[in-house]
Amino acid sequence: APKPPTPVEAEVYRSFDVESEGMVKPEIGFHFAATKELADAASIKLGRKDFKTESYIINLKNPVRVKGQENGFRPFSVLEDLVERKIITEKEFNKAYDEYLKIEETTDLSEFEYWQKSSKLIQDLLKPKGIDGLVYRNEFDAAGITKPADSYIVFDKSSIKKAPKPP
């Protein structure tokens, strides 16, 4: 049986393009790194030339640990990992996978709409189980730049607030 989740209340970091808003496109949820260096490394890996990194406080009551992904969190990989870890059942996986295929086969979706629909699909599966986010060891963004650390995917903006500015 999976061990009970450890709640997380922590200062974390998010890096984004200077031109964009800080929290627009959820990729399964909103991604944060445990260290500023790791958040910066994510922007470097994405090829962002002009980015800023800000600190936030996240409060997750019931996050689930998942496998770190190679490059971005593809919904299918996350679904596979969730069923392997017995967080979702085979039946839930099959139903979600069918839904996911419908999203994948919709050719006129923008990248933003794709992420909106696939994020909702995964969240709709996990939120009724009381799961409010994911935690993973982020080796991918760290590789060759900084030390790996945990990263977090937060489902709801209500679990996120700007960290107070130091005096």
Side-chain angles (χ1 to χ4, degrees):
K3 62 181 195 242
T6 308
V8 174
E9 183 166 4
E11 184 170 7
V12 293
Y13 301 86
R14 183 173 170 91
S15 178
F16 49 89
D17 249 309
V18 168
E19 261 102 84
S20 80
E21 286 298 311
M23 257 174 293
V24 181
K25 188 180 81 179
E27 292 186 6
I28 300 185
F30 299 98
H31 290 242
F32 296 90
T35 67
K36 181 183 183 308
E37 294 73 22
L38 187 57
D40 290 347
S43 269
I44 293 164
K45 283 261 162 90
L46 285 167
R48 292 179 179 142
K49 298 277 177 269
D50 202 11
F51 64 88
K52 66 179 177 181
T53 301
E54 293 187 344
S55 62
Y56 296 83
I57 305 292
I58 58 168
N59 192 336
L60 296 174
K61 305 270 183 266
N62 194 17
V64 164
R65 186 165 284 278
V66 294
K67 210 167 31 195
Q69 305 290 326
E70 276 309 300
N71 185 11
F73 263 71
R74 303 321 307 168
F76 176 67
S77 307
V78 175
L79 287 171
E80 275 189 328
D81 190 29
L82 291 169
V83 79
E84 281 169 26
R85 291 171 188 264
K86 303 200 178 340
I87 292 161
I88 62 173
T89 65
E90 200 73 44
K91 187 177 174 184
E92 288 171 317
F93 170 83
N94 290 332
K95 185 174 186 274
Y97 183 60
D98 288 344
E99 291 296 310
Y100 175 65
L101 286 179
K102 287 180 195 150
I103 295 168
E104 280 274 287
E105 289 160 5
T106 309
T107 52
D108 59 348
L109 285 182
S110 68
E111 186 192 8
F112 181 79
E113 291 166 320
Y114 165 82
W115 279 111
Q116 254 186 334
K117 287 180 182 293
S118 54
S119 298
K120 182 177 175 353
L121 175 70
I122 298 208
Q123 289 185 22
D124 286 352
L125 203 54
L126 297 178
K127 283 181 178 177
K129 298 176 186 292
I131 297 167
D132 57 358
L134 305 174
V135 185
Y136 63 98
R137 185 97 183 133
N138 192 338
E139 308 265 344
F140 178 78
D141 288 330
I145 301 173
T146 188
K147 285 200 281 289
D150 279 344
S151 281
Y152 305 90
I153 300 176
V154 180
F155 294 162
D156 280 309
K157 283 186 178 177
S158 64
S159 302
I160 305 164
K161 59 182 194 256
K162 283 287 274 166
K165 294 267 182 265

